[in-house]
Amino acid sequence: MDNGANFQLVRLLQEFTQASDRFVDTTSGDNAMHRSDLNALSVIMRHEQAGRPPTTSMLGRELHLSPPATSALVNRLERSGHVVRHRSEDDRRVVRVAVTDHAMAEGRRMFGPLARALGQTIAGYTAADIALVSRFMADASRAVDEATKKLDM
């Protein structure tokens, strides 16, 4: 194992994270949204794509927010027209949060430039390269989550 190459890879991941943070900070500021708003919308969309919009408590757990902070966040997103709350068909006591068409349109407008730039970058790689990088990124995300859990203990 080449420790120099490993160090360089970790450093590149840090640089990518910082560049991503700069993009999110810029676009969220330009659109009067908080980073937590964008993170919440991302979590909600991921759950919706899996076929099960999250409850507010699920959202709070994933974002590491207290129940009052989660409620304030969802209230803010609801007032801005980015999310709606709806009762579950299965259990009327359960309230789920879903993104609106307005939020999807705003997301495309805000993140379209990033999606296009990343798409152009990805186009320069083979399917095998993309599969390898995808596997690495999934593993790296799990490693960060595992390290975070150890901090929470």
Side-chain angles (χ1 to χ4, degrees):
M1 212 188 282
D2 181 353
N3 286 337
N6 292 352
F7 178 79
Q8 178 65 17
L9 179 56
V10 170
R11 201 167 127 180
L12 288 169
L13 285 170
Q14 291 169 335
E15 289 176 17
F16 175 78
T17 300
Q18 291 165 354
S20 296
D21 287 348
R22 284 190 301 275
F23 183 89
V24 169
D25 288 343
T26 299
T27 195
S28 64
D30 289 350
N31 291 281
M33 295 184 79
H34 301 277
R35 171 181 289 277
S36 57
D37 297 343
L38 297 176
N39 288 339
L41 291 170
S42 175
V43 168
I44 295 166
M45 286 188 284
R46 184 169 27 88
H47 280 275
E48 285 184 324
Q49 288 170 347
R52 193 128 174 115
T55 63
T56 54
S57 60
M58 291 166 65
L59 185 61
R61 275 193 306 276
E62 285 199 42
L63 296 172
H64 294 254
L65 296 174
S66 68
T70 303
S71 184
L73 170 71
V74 173
N75 288 342
R76 186 171 61 244
L77 289 171
E78 193 171 41
R79 278 192 308 274
S80 67
H82 289 96
V83 301
V84 292
R85 293 177 176 146
H86 58 86
R87 296 219 174 264
S88 170
E89 295 296 321
D90 301 333
D91 183 344
R92 302 294 296 163
R93 297 169 296 178
V94 176
V95 177
R96 297 198 177 274
V97 183
V99 297
T100 63
D101 291 340
H102 168 71
M104 296 300 289
E106 286 291 296
R108 282 189 294 277
R109 184 183 60 75
M110 291 167 61
F111 290 96
L114 178 60
R116 286 187 292 279
L118 287 173
Q120 289 172 346
T121 298
I122 292 167
Y125 291 87
T126 67
D129 292 337
I130 293 168
L132 178 62
V133 172
S134 295
R135 190 180 99 218
F136 170 77
M137 292 302 297
D139 290 346
S141 293
R142 276 191 294 279
V144 170
D145 287 341
E146 288 172 20
T148 301
K149 286 177 189 171
K150 290 178 181 174
L151 294 175
D152 289 341
M153 291 181 180

